[in-house]
PDB file of all heavy atoms in Angstrom:
ATOM      1  N   GLU A 739       0.786  -1.209   0.040  1.00 94.00           N
ATOM      2  CA  GLU A 739       0.000   0.029   0.042  1.00 94.00           C
ATOM      3  C   GLU A 739       0.836   1.279   0.045  1.00 94.00           C
ATOM      4  O   GLU A 739       0.418   2.342  -0.666  1.00 94.00           O
ATOM      5  CB  GLU A 739      -0.965  -0.034   1.236  1.00 94.00           C
ATOM      6  CG  GLU A 739      -1.799   1.231   1.293  1.00 94.00           C
ATOM      7  CD  GLU A 739      -2.863   1.292   2.291  1.00 94.00           C
ATOM      8  OE1 GLU A 739      -2.791   0.433   3.198  1.00 94.00           O
ATOM      9  OE2 GLU A 739      -3.848   2.012   2.114  1.00 94.00           O
ATOM     10  N   GLU A 740       1.890   1.269   0.725  1.00 95.00           N
ATOM     11  CA  GLU A 740       2.651   2.545   0.902  1.00 95.00           C
ATOM     12  C   GLU A 740       3.758   2.721   0.063  1.00 95.00           C
ATOM     13  O   GLU A 740       4.254   1.880  -0.657  1.00 95.00           O
ATOM     14  CB  GLU A 740       3.208   2.617   2.414  1.00 95.00           C
ATOM     15  CG  GLU A 740       2.117   2.426   3.485  1.00 95.00           C
ATOM     16  CD  GLU A 740       0.935   3.348   3.432  1.00 95.00           C
ATOM     17  OE1 GLU A 740       1.045   4.431   2.711  1.00 95.00           O
ATOM     18  OE2 GLU A 740      -0.104   3.097   3.865  1.00 95.00           O
ATOM     19  N   ALA A 741       4.301   3.986  -0.062  1.00 94.00           N
ATOM     20  CA  ALA A 741       5.521   4.342  -0.865  1.00 94.00           C
ATOM     21  C   ALA A 741       6.248   5.289  -0.032  1.00 94.00           C
ATOM     22  O   ALA A 741       5.703   6.107   0.859  1.00 94.00           O
ATOM     23  CB  ALA A 741       5.193   4.909  -2.187  1.00 94.00           C
ATOM     24  N   ALA A 742       7.584   5.434  -0.244  1.00 95.00           N
ATOM     25  CA  ALA A 742       8.388   6.312   0.671  1.00 95.00           C
ATOM     26  C   ALA A 742       8.511   7.820   0.087  1.00 95.00           C
ATOM     27  O   ALA A 742       9.187   8.575   0.768  1.00 95.00           O
ATOM     28  CB  ALA A 742       9.805   5.658   0.725  1.00 95.00           C
ATOM     29  N   ASP A 743       7.842   8.042  -0.974  1.00 94.00           N
ATOM     30  CA  ASP A 743       7.980   9.388  -1.560  1.00 94.00           C
ATOM     31  C   ASP A 743       7.751  10.557  -0.534  1.00 94.00           C
ATOM     32  O   ASP A 743       8.560  11.542  -0.376  1.00 94.00           O
ATOM     33  CB  ASP A 743       6.996   9.608  -2.636  1.00 94.00           C
ATOM     34  CG  ASP A 743       7.243   8.661  -3.886  1.00 94.00           C
ATOM     35  OD1 ASP A 743       8.340   8.050  -3.878  1.00 94.00           O
ATOM     36  OD2 ASP A 743       6.422   8.576  -4.765  1.00 94.00           O
ATOM     37  N   GLU A 744       6.730  10.384   0.336  1.00 92.00           N
ATOM     38  CA  GLU A 744       6.419  11.418   1.230  1.00 92.00           C
ATOM     39  C   GLU A 744       7.425  11.589   2.316  1.00 92.00           C
ATOM     40  O   GLU A 744       7.692  12.685   2.904  1.00 92.00           O
ATOM     41  CB  GLU A 744       5.035  11.287   1.848  1.00 92.00           C
ATOM     42  CG  GLU A 744       3.940  11.552   0.699  1.00 92.00           C
ATOM     43  CD  GLU A 744       2.587  11.177   1.083  1.00 92.00           C
ATOM     44  OE1 GLU A 744       2.242  11.432   2.305  1.00 92.00           O
ATOM     45  OE2 GLU A 744       1.762  10.703   0.312  1.00 92.00           O
ATOM     46  N   LEU A 745       8.113  10.480   2.654  1.00 95.00           N
ATOM     47  CA  LEU A 745       9.229  10.566   3.611  1.00 95.00           C
ATOM     48  C   LEU A 745      10.433  11.254   3.099  1.00 95.00           C
ATOM     49  O   LEU A 745      11.169  11.716   3.935  1.00 95.00           O
ATOM     50  CB  LEU A 745       9.541   9.143   4.081  1.00 95.00           C
ATOM     51  CG  LEU A 745       8.442   8.320   4.878  1.00 95.00           C
ATOM     52  CD1 LEU A 745       8.979   6.953   5.147  1.00 95.00           C
ATOM     53  CD2 LEU A 745       7.954   9.056   6.007  1.00 95.00           C
ATOM     54  N   ARG A 746      10.560  11.336   1.795  1.00 95.00           N
ATOM     55  CA  ARG A 746      11.724  12.155   1.272  1.00 95.00           C
ATOM     56  C   ARG A 746      11.474  13.620   1.303  1.00 95.00           C
ATOM     57  O   ARG A 746      12.289  14.394   1.043  1.00 95.00           O
ATOM     58  CB  ARG A 746      12.005  11.632  -0.163  1.00 95.00           C
ATOM     59  CG  ARG A 746      12.458  10.110  -0.200  1.00 95.00           C
ATOM     60  CD  ARG A 746      12.851   9.817  -1.585  1.00 95.00           C
ATOM     61  NE  ARG A 746      13.451   8.400  -1.555  1.00 95.00           N
ATOM     62  CZ  ARG A 746      12.734   7.235  -1.794  1.00 95.00           C
ATOM     63  NH1 ARG A 746      11.464   7.327  -1.977  1.00 95.00           N
ATOM     64  NH2 ARG A 746      13.378   6.118  -1.806  1.00 95.00           N
ATOM     65  N   ASN A 747      10.206  14.065   1.587  1.00 93.00           N
ATOM     66  CA  ASN A 747       9.853  15.482   1.661  1.00 93.00           C
ATOM     67  C   ASN A 747      10.419  16.012   2.966  1.00 93.00           C
ATOM     68  O   ASN A 747      10.261  15.484   4.076  1.00 93.00           O
ATOM     69  CB  ASN A 747       8.313  15.597   1.670  1.00 93.00           C
ATOM     70  CG  ASN A 747       7.900  17.028   1.669  1.00 93.00           C
ATOM     71  OD1 ASN A 747       8.608  17.905   2.146  1.00 93.00           O
ATOM     72  ND2 ASN A 747       6.707  17.289   0.998  1.00 93.00           N
ATOM     73  N   ALA A 748      11.191  17.128   2.907  1.00 94.00           N
ATOM     74  CA  ALA A 748      11.896  17.604   4.158  1.00 94.00           C
ATOM     75  C   ALA A 748      10.801  18.027   5.240  1.00 94.00           C
ATOM     76  O   ALA A 748      11.157  17.962   6.416  1.00 94.00           O
ATOM     77  CB  ALA A 748      12.579  18.906   3.707  1.00 94.00           C
ATOM     78  N   ALA A 749       9.621  18.324   4.803  1.00 91.00           N
ATOM     79  CA  ALA A 749       8.581  18.639   5.738  1.00 91.00           C
ATOM     80  C   ALA A 749       8.190  17.428   6.606  1.00 91.00           C
ATOM     81  O   ALA A 749       7.643  17.629   7.731  1.00 91.00           O
ATOM     82  CB  ALA A 749       7.294  19.147   5.070  1.00 91.00           C
ATOM     83  N   ASN A 750       8.492  16.267   6.177  1.00 92.00           N
ATOM     84  CA  ASN A 750       8.193  15.094   6.921  1.00 92.00           C
ATOM     85  C   ASN A 750       9.443  14.369   7.582  1.00 92.00           C
ATOM     86  O   ASN A 750       9.297  13.208   7.871  1.00 92.00           O
ATOM     87  CB  ASN A 750       7.431  14.070   6.039  1.00 92.00           C
ATOM     88  CG  ASN A 750       6.125  14.525   5.562  1.00 92.00           C
ATOM     89  OD1 ASN A 750       5.348  15.237   6.285  1.00 92.00           O
ATOM     90  ND2 ASN A 750       5.805  14.203   4.344  1.00 92.00           N
ATOM     91  N   ALA A 751      10.433  15.125   7.807  1.00 93.00           N
ATOM     92  CA  ALA A 751      11.712  14.655   8.315  1.00 93.00           C
ATOM     93  C   ALA A 751      11.560  14.026   9.665  1.00 93.00           C
ATOM     94  O   ALA A 751      12.222  12.997   9.993  1.00 93.00           O
ATOM     95  CB  ALA A 751      12.735  15.757   8.357  1.00 93.00           C
ATOM     96  N   THR A 752      10.655  14.544  10.529  1.00 91.00           N
ATOM     97  CA  THR A 752      10.424  14.059  11.816  1.00 91.00           C
ATOM     98  C   THR A 752       9.868  12.567  11.792  1.00 91.00           C
ATOM     99  O   THR A 752      10.382  11.659  12.495  1.00 91.00           O
ATOM    100  CB  THR A 752       9.589  14.912  12.721  1.00 91.00           C
ATOM    101  OG1 THR A 752      10.194  16.193  12.844  1.00 91.00           O
ATOM    102  CG2 THR A 752       9.322  14.365  14.140  1.00 91.00           C
ATOM    103  N   VAL A 753       8.880  12.470  10.890  1.00 91.00           N
ATOM    104  CA  VAL A 753       8.293  11.021  10.774  1.00 91.00           C
ATOM    105  C   VAL A 753       9.272  10.063  10.106  1.00 91.00           C
ATOM    106  O   VAL A 753       9.541   8.954  10.571  1.00 91.00           O
ATOM    107  CB  VAL A 753       6.994  11.109   9.903  1.00 91.00           C
ATOM    108  CG1 VAL A 753       6.558   9.738   9.565  1.00 91.00           C
ATOM    109  CG2 VAL A 753       5.906  11.927  10.610  1.00 91.00           C
ATOM    110  N   ARG A 754      10.060  10.587   9.215  1.00 95.00           N
ATOM    111  CA  ARG A 754      11.107   9.656   8.546  1.00 95.00           C
ATOM    112  C   ARG A 754      12.160   9.287   9.569  1.00 95.00           C
ATOM    113  O   ARG A 754      12.466   8.139   9.657  1.00 95.00           O
ATOM    114  CB  ARG A 754      11.778  10.440   7.419  1.00 95.00           C
ATOM    115  CG  ARG A 754      12.839   9.594   6.735  1.00 95.00           C
ATOM    116  CD  ARG A 754      13.719  10.432   5.810  1.00 95.00           C
ATOM    117  NE  ARG A 754      14.509  11.506   6.399  1.00 95.00           N
ATOM    118  CZ  ARG A 754      14.444  12.719   6.112  1.00 95.00           C
ATOM    119  NH1 ARG A 754      13.608  13.143   5.190  1.00 95.00           N
ATOM    120  NH2 ARG A 754      15.117  13.674   6.814  1.00 95.00           N
ATOM    121  N   ASP A 755      12.582  10.106  10.417  1.00 95.00           N
ATOM    122  CA  ASP A 755      13.517   9.804  11.403  1.00 95.00           C
ATOM    123  C   ASP A 755      13.092   8.786  12.463  1.00 95.00           C
ATOM    124  O   ASP A 755      13.815   7.958  12.891  1.00 95.00           O
ATOM    125  CB  ASP A 755      14.039  11.106  12.107  1.00 95.00           C
ATOM    126  CG  ASP A 755      14.869  11.997  11.212  1.00 95.00           C
ATOM    127  OD1 ASP A 755      15.262  11.596  10.114  1.00 95.00           O
ATOM    128  OD2 ASP A 755      15.064  13.154  11.693  1.00 95.00           O
ATOM    129  N   LYS A 756      11.774   8.980  12.756  1.00 93.00           N
ATOM    130  CA  LYS A 756      11.135   7.956  13.700  1.00 93.00           C
ATOM    131  C   LYS A 756      11.085   6.579  13.025  1.00 93.00           C
ATOM    132  O   LYS A 756      11.245   5.548  13.688  1.00 93.00           O
ATOM    133  CB  LYS A 756       9.794   8.463  14.169  1.00 93.00           C
ATOM    134  CG  LYS A 756       9.799   9.609  15.124  1.00 93.00           C
ATOM    135  CD  LYS A 756       8.508   9.904  15.737  1.00 93.00           C
ATOM    136  CE  LYS A 756       8.680  11.084  16.791  1.00 93.00           C
ATOM    137  NZ  LYS A 756       7.299  11.388  17.422  1.00 93.00           N
ATOM    138  N   VAL A 757      10.687   6.494  11.725  1.00 95.00           N
ATOM    139  CA  VAL A 757      10.613   5.240  11.072  1.00 95.00           C
ATOM    140  C   VAL A 757      12.012   4.607  11.015  1.00 95.00           C
ATOM    141  O   VAL A 757      12.051   3.359  11.278  1.00 95.00           O
ATOM    142  CB  VAL A 757      10.151   5.502   9.563  1.00 95.00           C
ATOM    143  CG1 VAL A 757      10.299   4.160   8.795  1.00 95.00           C
ATOM    144  CG2 VAL A 757       8.791   6.058   9.558  1.00 95.00           C
ATOM    145  N   VAL A 758      13.021   5.448  10.698  1.00 97.00           N
ATOM    146  CA  VAL A 758      14.383   4.868  10.741  1.00 97.00           C
ATOM    147  C   VAL A 758      14.784   4.380  12.120  1.00 97.00           C
ATOM    148  O   VAL A 758      15.388   3.287  12.196  1.00 97.00           O
ATOM    149  CB  VAL A 758      15.358   5.902  10.126  1.00 97.00           C
ATOM    150  CG1 VAL A 758      16.777   5.407  10.297  1.00 97.00           C
ATOM    151  CG2 VAL A 758      15.059   6.242   8.654  1.00 97.00           C
ATOM    152  N   GLN A 759      14.405   5.050  13.069  1.00 95.00           N
ATOM    153  CA  GLN A 759      14.729   4.670  14.465  1.00 95.00           C
ATOM    154  C   GLN A 759      14.143   3.290  14.861  1.00 95.00           C
ATOM    155  O   GLN A 759      14.839   2.458  15.320  1.00 95.00           O
ATOM    156  CB  GLN A 759      14.200   5.779  15.411  1.00 95.00           C
ATOM    157  CG  GLN A 759      14.314   5.388  16.943  1.00 95.00           C
ATOM    158  CD  GLN A 759      13.610   6.382  17.891  1.00 95.00           C
ATOM    159  OE1 GLN A 759      13.307   7.548  17.404  1.00 95.00           O
ATOM    160  NE2 GLN A 759      13.259   6.039  18.984  1.00 95.00           N
ATOM    161  N   TYR A 760      12.790   3.168  14.552  1.00 95.00           N
ATOM    162  CA  TYR A 760      12.175   1.807  14.834  1.00 95.00           C
ATOM    163  C   TYR A 760      12.761   0.781  14.037  1.00 95.00           C
ATOM    164  O   TYR A 760      13.024  -0.393  14.583  1.00 95.00           O
ATOM    165  CB  TYR A 760      10.704   1.979  14.641  1.00 95.00           C
ATOM    166  CG  TYR A 760       9.936   2.552  15.779  1.00 95.00           C
ATOM    167  CD1 TYR A 760       9.586   3.926  15.660  1.00 95.00           C
ATOM    168  CD2 TYR A 760       9.702   1.985  16.984  1.00 95.00           C
ATOM    169  CE1 TYR A 760       8.843   4.536  16.705  1.00 95.00           C
ATOM    170  CE2 TYR A 760       8.998   2.514  18.003  1.00 95.00           C
ATOM    171  CZ  TYR A 760       8.580   3.814  17.860  1.00 95.00           C
ATOM    172  OH  TYR A 760       7.909   4.431  18.994  1.00 95.00           O
ATOM    173  N   VAL A 761      13.017   0.935  12.772  1.00 97.00           N
ATOM    174  CA  VAL A 761      13.598  -0.184  11.918  1.00 97.00           C
ATOM    175  C   VAL A 761      15.011  -0.500  12.284  1.00 97.00           C
ATOM    176  O   VAL A 761      15.326  -1.668  12.442  1.00 97.00           O
ATOM    177  CB  VAL A 761      13.418   0.295  10.515  1.00 97.00           C
ATOM    178  CG1 VAL A 761      14.179  -0.784   9.502  1.00 97.00           C
ATOM    179  CG2 VAL A 761      12.000   0.350   9.938  1.00 97.00           C
ATOM    180  N   SER A 762      15.838   0.625  12.542  1.00 97.00           N
ATOM    181  CA  SER A 762      17.262   0.272  12.839  1.00 97.00           C
ATOM    182  C   SER A 762      17.428  -0.354  14.210  1.00 97.00           C
ATOM    183  O   SER A 762      18.461  -1.074  14.426  1.00 97.00           O
ATOM    184  CB  SER A 762      18.021   1.515  12.799  1.00 97.00           C
ATOM    185  OG  SER A 762      17.535   2.464  13.686  1.00 97.00           O
ATOM    186  N   ALA A 763      16.481  -0.246  15.092  1.00 96.00           N
ATOM    187  CA  ALA A 763      16.496  -0.992  16.401  1.00 96.00           C
ATOM    188  C   ALA A 763      16.423  -2.493  16.151  1.00 96.00           C
ATOM    189  O   ALA A 763      17.040  -3.182  17.005  1.00 96.00           O
ATOM    190  CB  ALA A 763      15.299  -0.459  17.262  1.00 96.00           C
ATOM    191  N   LEU A 764      15.896  -2.810  15.167  1.00 95.00           N
ATOM    192  CA  LEU A 764      15.743  -4.316  14.755  1.00 95.00           C
ATOM    193  C   LEU A 764      16.722  -4.740  13.687  1.00 95.00           C
ATOM    194  O   LEU A 764      17.076  -5.903  13.568  1.00 95.00           O
ATOM    195  CB  LEU A 764      14.340  -4.669  14.288  1.00 95.00           C
ATOM    196  CG  LEU A 764      13.342  -4.454  15.422  1.00 95.00           C
ATOM    197  CD1 LEU A 764      11.956  -4.693  14.873  1.00 95.00           C
ATOM    198  CD2 LEU A 764      13.432  -5.556  16.519  1.00 95.00           C
ATOM    199  N   CYS A 765      17.231  -3.713  12.962  1.00 96.00           N
ATOM    200  CA  CYS A 765      18.151  -3.954  11.794  1.00 96.00           C
ATOM    201  C   CYS A 765      19.373  -2.932  12.018  1.00 96.00           C
ATOM    202  O   CYS A 765      19.430  -2.064  11.353  1.00 96.00           O
ATOM    203  CB  CYS A 765      17.495  -3.671  10.519  1.00 96.00           C
ATOM    204  SG  CYS A 765      15.949  -4.576  10.272  1.00 96.00           S
ATOM    205  N   PRO A 766      20.210  -3.380  12.943  1.00 96.00           N
ATOM    206  CA  PRO A 766      21.323  -2.480  13.356  1.00 96.00           C
ATOM    207  C   PRO A 766      22.135  -2.044  12.088  1.00 96.00           C
ATOM    208  O   PRO A 766      22.416  -2.861  11.198  1.00 96.00           O
ATOM    209  CB  PRO A 766      22.263  -3.297  14.254  1.00 96.00           C
ATOM    210  CG  PRO A 766      21.215  -4.308  14.886  1.00 96.00           C
ATOM    211  CD  PRO A 766      20.221  -4.554  13.807  1.00 96.00           C
ATOM    212  N   GLY A 767      22.425  -0.727  12.017  1.00 95.00           N
ATOM    213  CA  GLY A 767      23.207  -0.141  10.971  1.00 95.00           C
ATOM    214  C   GLY A 767      22.288   0.221   9.731  1.00 95.00           C
ATOM    215  O   GLY A 767      22.835   0.927   8.805  1.00 95.00           O
ATOM    216  N   ALA A 768      21.003  -0.011   9.812  1.00 96.00           N
ATOM    217  CA  ALA A 768      20.188   0.428   8.762  1.00 96.00           C
ATOM    218  C   ALA A 768      19.974   2.004   8.736  1.00 96.00           C
ATOM    219  O   ALA A 768      19.581   2.482   9.740  1.00 96.00           O
ATOM    220  CB  ALA A 768      18.786  -0.247   8.819  1.00 96.00           C
ATOM    221  N   GLY A 769      20.370   2.679   7.670  1.00 97.00           N
ATOM    222  CA  GLY A 769      20.244   4.092   7.619  1.00 97.00           C
ATOM    223  C   GLY A 769      18.961   4.459   6.779  1.00 97.00           C
ATOM    224  O   GLY A 769      18.212   3.570   6.328  1.00 97.00           O
ATOM    225  N   ALA A 770      18.706   5.786   6.667  1.00 97.00           N
ATOM    226  CA  ALA A 770      17.561   6.219   5.981  1.00 97.00           C
ATOM    227  C   ALA A 770      17.447   5.725   4.551  1.00 97.00           C
ATOM    228  O   ALA A 770      16.314   5.361   4.138  1.00 97.00           O
ATOM    229  CB  ALA A 770      17.553   7.704   5.950  1.00 97.00           C
ATOM    230  N   ASP A 771      18.509   5.687   3.805  1.00 97.00           N
ATOM    231  CA  ASP A 771      18.376   5.275   2.420  1.00 97.00           C
ATOM    232  C   ASP A 771      18.018   3.799   2.270  1.00 97.00           C
ATOM    233  O   ASP A 771      17.116   3.489   1.480  1.00 97.00           O
ATOM    234  CB  ASP A 771      19.851   5.448   1.706  1.00 97.00           C
ATOM    235  CG  ASP A 771      20.162   6.828   1.487  1.00 97.00           C
ATOM    236  OD1 ASP A 771      19.308   7.719   1.551  1.00 97.00           O
ATOM    237  OD2 ASP A 771      21.385   7.180   1.188  1.00 97.00           O
ATOM    238  N   ALA A 772      18.544   2.945   3.080  1.00 98.00           N
ATOM    239  CA  ALA A 772      18.142   1.588   3.105  1.00 98.00           C
ATOM    240  C   ALA A 772      16.647   1.378   3.486  1.00 98.00           C
ATOM    241  O   ALA A 772      15.921   0.695   2.863  1.00 98.00           O
ATOM    242  CB  ALA A 772      19.132   0.743   4.060  1.00 98.00           C
ATOM    243  N   VAL A 773      16.237   2.022   4.488  1.00 98.00           N
ATOM    244  CA  VAL A 773      14.898   1.876   5.000  1.00 98.00           C
ATOM    245  C   VAL A 773      13.862   2.381   3.955  1.00 98.00           C
ATOM    246  O   VAL A 773      12.883   1.707   3.621  1.00 98.00           O
ATOM    247  CB  VAL A 773      14.639   2.729   6.303  1.00 98.00           C
ATOM    248  CG1 VAL A 773      13.141   2.781   6.775  1.00 98.00           C
ATOM    249  CG2 VAL A 773      15.493   2.046   7.463  1.00 98.00           C
ATOM    250  N   LEU A 774      14.161   3.462   3.327  1.00 98.00           N
ATOM    251  CA  LEU A 774      13.391   4.042   2.235  1.00 98.00           C
ATOM    252  C   LEU A 774      13.301   3.073   1.026  1.00 98.00           C
ATOM    253  O   LEU A 774      12.200   2.892   0.396  1.00 98.00           O
ATOM    254  CB  LEU A 774      13.745   5.423   1.790  1.00 98.00           C
ATOM    255  CG  LEU A 774      13.657   6.557   2.841  1.00 98.00           C
ATOM    256  CD1 LEU A 774      14.040   7.937   2.342  1.00 98.00           C
ATOM    257  CD2 LEU A 774      12.287   6.603   3.551  1.00 98.00           C
ATOM    258  N   GLN A 775      14.392   2.496   0.669  1.00 98.00           N
ATOM    259  CA  GLN A 775      14.475   1.443  -0.454  1.00 98.00           C
ATOM    260  C   GLN A 775      13.670   0.325  -0.077  1.00 98.00           C
ATOM    261  O   GLN A 775      12.868  -0.282  -0.949  1.00 98.00           O
ATOM    262  CB  GLN A 775      15.882   1.078  -0.641  1.00 98.00           C
ATOM    263  CG  GLN A 775      16.758   2.271  -1.389  1.00 98.00           C
ATOM    264  CD  GLN A 775      18.117   1.890  -1.544  1.00 98.00           C
ATOM    265  OE1 GLN A 775      18.602   0.778  -1.340  1.00 98.00           O
ATOM    266  NE2 GLN A 775      18.968   2.860  -1.820  1.00 98.00           N
ATOM    267  N   TRP A 776      13.613  -0.177   1.262  1.00 98.00           N
ATOM    268  CA  TRP A 776      12.823  -1.381   1.541  1.00 98.00           C
ATOM    269  C   TRP A 776      11.345  -1.019   1.422  1.00 98.00           C
ATOM    270  O   TRP A 776      10.622  -1.892   0.901  1.00 98.00           O
ATOM    271  CB  TRP A 776      13.227  -1.834   2.991  1.00 98.00           C
ATOM    272  CG  TRP A 776      14.584  -2.318   3.185  1.00 98.00           C
ATOM    273  CD1 TRP A 776      15.343  -2.931   2.101  1.00 98.00           C
ATOM    274  CD2 TRP A 776      15.417  -2.252   4.344  1.00 98.00           C
ATOM    275  NE1 TRP A 776      16.511  -3.342   2.637  1.00 98.00           N
ATOM    276  CE2 TRP A 776      16.614  -2.970   4.012  1.00 98.00           C
ATOM    277  CE3 TRP A 776      15.155  -1.767   5.630  1.00 98.00           C
ATOM    278  CZ2 TRP A 776      17.635  -3.120   4.960  1.00 98.00           C
ATOM    279  CZ3 TRP A 776      16.201  -1.930   6.614  1.00 98.00           C
ATOM    280  CH2 TRP A 776      17.436  -2.572   6.183  1.00 98.00           C
ATOM    281  N   ILE A 777      11.063   0.185   1.832  1.00 98.00           N
ATOM    282  CA  ILE A 777       9.581   0.613   1.751  1.00 98.00           C
ATOM    283  C   ILE A 777       9.237   0.522   0.233  1.00 98.00           C
ATOM    284  O   ILE A 777       8.120   0.035  -0.146  1.00 98.00           O
ATOM    285  CB  ILE A 777       9.337   1.928   2.302  1.00 98.00           C
ATOM    286  CG1 ILE A 777       9.548   1.945   3.820  1.00 98.00           C
ATOM    287  CG2 ILE A 777       7.898   2.406   2.037  1.00 98.00           C
ATOM    288  CD1 ILE A 777       9.582   3.301   4.514  1.00 98.00           C
ATOM    289  N   ASP A 778       9.990   1.116  -0.657  1.00 98.00           N
ATOM    290  CA  ASP A 778       9.702   1.203  -1.947  1.00 98.00           C
ATOM    291  C   ASP A 778       9.782  -0.175  -2.782  1.00 98.00           C
ATOM    292  O   ASP A 778       9.255  -0.225  -3.916  1.00 98.00           O
ATOM    293  CB  ASP A 778      10.700   2.218  -2.702  1.00 98.00           C
ATOM    294  CG  ASP A 778      10.262   3.681  -2.407  1.00 98.00           C
ATOM    295  OD1 ASP A 778       9.063   3.869  -2.153  1.00 98.00           O
ATOM    296  OD2 ASP A 778      11.064   4.545  -2.626  1.00 98.00           O
ATOM    297  N   HIS A 779      10.315  -1.117  -2.044  1.00 98.00           N
ATOM    298  CA  HIS A 779      10.310  -2.441  -2.694  1.00 98.00           C
ATOM    299  C   HIS A 779       8.928  -2.969  -2.810  1.00 98.00           C
ATOM    300  O   HIS A 779       8.569  -3.882  -3.678  1.00 98.00           O
ATOM    301  CB  HIS A 779      11.097  -3.390  -1.789  1.00 98.00           C
ATOM    302  CG  HIS A 779      11.126  -4.820  -2.451  1.00 98.00           C
ATOM    303  ND1 HIS A 779      11.796  -5.096  -3.656  1.00 98.00           N
ATOM    304  CD2 HIS A 779      10.817  -6.084  -1.898  1.00 98.00           C
ATOM    305  CE1 HIS A 779      11.661  -6.414  -3.962  1.00 98.00           C
ATOM    306  NE2 HIS A 779      11.079  -6.994  -2.841  1.00 98.00           N
ATOM    307  N   GLY A 780       7.910  -2.354  -2.119  1.00 98.00           N
ATOM    308  CA  GLY A 780       6.499  -2.671  -2.201  1.00 98.00           C
ATOM    309  C   GLY A 780       5.787  -2.007  -3.361  1.00 98.00           C
ATOM    310  O   GLY A 780       4.608  -2.163  -3.420  1.00 98.00           O
TER     311      GLY A 780
END
């Protein structure tokens, strides 16, 4: 259902950072680029 386009918008940086925080807690070392690519794999 989702795509990462809106997370790349600077206005949504707070939400993007929280997404990366939750994902990287389970996938150590995962940065924003990797997390957004995983989302866009959908």
